[in-house]
Amino acid sequence: MQLHPAPVCCENACGGSGMTCNGFDCNDLPLSQCNYEYGTGKEFDATGKHCMLADMKRYMTESQPELAQTFECIANVGTYGSGDEKVMLSATSALGEPQNAPGGCDEGFLRDDALLVLVFITDEEDDAADDGKGSPGEPAEWFQAVVAAKGGEEKSAVVLGLVGDSNLPMGLCPPGGDPNGGDGMGADASPRLQSFVDMFSNGVIGSVCAADYTPFFAEAVGVIDTACDEFEPPG
């Protein structure tokens, strides 16, 4: 039996003894509750390959061997998940107390002595959660959650967003573009996500419809360098 994303998809698909799913024994799936929580780090790519993160962490540290190859592994998330965009739910959950507290799935990830860089790339807006599809809260609340995670120091975070921009002057995405249209050119206008990024002194917005992301990331690196130079750890 082959399913994606593996091996998370296997739990509901596995049946009787002796069955396998994507090469995993159904009686011994390598999964924990952390695999099902928003905001936790990944251990597997979309095909079920274990990314071999060092030190039994769910995120990479300076001790990680083969950093580029490991990042390529965990960045391979596939396209098999929910179609409901919840960018900010994932981000705020990753920075929240349950994940980062002692015993949490990502204990040690969020550090007071480090600059936080949040990057998101999406061709759909994070819609209001009242229809059950988007992230809870509004841009100002997402902003406050990120700032709180950095001890109230807004400039201790850099936020980079590649989003649909057909609502902006000189936007590159075609008006009314459909991200599911099949031509690879569509993207929802994303005023909520744009508003969130604009609240940060160190915020950079780019168009997800750009043919080349190099200028965006070149600008982002400059912002990160400046923020890093100005960063003062607490105490």
Side-chain angles (χ1 to χ4, degrees), residues 6-8 10-11 14 21-36 43-44 48-50 58:
V8 179
C10 294
E11 186 169 72
C14 277
C21 175
N22 298 304
F24 296 99
D25 186 333
C26 283
N27 293 324
D28 191 26
L29 294 176
L31 300 173
S32 68
Q33 182 58 38
C34 291
N35 291 93
Y36 304 98
E43 296 178 291
F44 302 90
K49 175 184 175 182
H50 197 283
R58 302 181 68 90

Side-chain angles (χ1 to χ4, degrees), residues 33-89:
Q33 182 58 38
C34 291
N35 291 93
Y36 304 98
E37 295 184 14
Y38 268 103
T40 56
K42 289 169 51 64
E43 296 178 291
F44 302 90
D45 75 0
T47 68
K49 175 184 175 182
H50 197 283
C51 295
M52 303 300 292
L53 297 172
D55 304 322
M56 303 297 291
K57 304 289 188 183
R58 302 181 68 90
Y59 53 87
M60 293 181 293
T61 68
E62 61 184 6
S63 66
Q64 181 68 48
E66 299 182 334
L67 185 64
Q69 294 91 325
T70 305
F71 178 78
E72 184 177 358
C73 180
I74 62 173
N76 178 11
V77 297
T79 58
Y80 310 100
S82 170
D84 297 334
E85 302 294 316
K86 298 182 180 181
V87 177
M88 287 297 105
L89 176 59

Side-chain angles (χ1 to χ4, degrees), residues 37-40 88-111 116 142 144-150:
E37 295 184 14
Y38 268 103
T40 56
M88 287 297 105
L89 176 59
S90 294
T92 55
S93 296
L95 301 176
E97 180 73 14
Q99 303 296 7
N100 292 279
C105 295
D106 293 333
E107 179 183 356
F109 168 72
L110 190 62
R111 293 176 290 128
L116 173 68
W142 306 335
Q144 290 298 333
V146 174
V147 172
K150 294 306 297 175

Side-chain angles (χ1 to χ4, degrees), residues 141-164:
E141 295 172 84
W142 306 335
F143 170 80
Q144 290 298 333
V146 174
V147 172
K150 294 306 297 175
E153 296 294 333
E154 178 267 330
K155 290 187 177 181
S156 295
V158 176
V159 180
L160 315 174
L162 279 167
V163 299

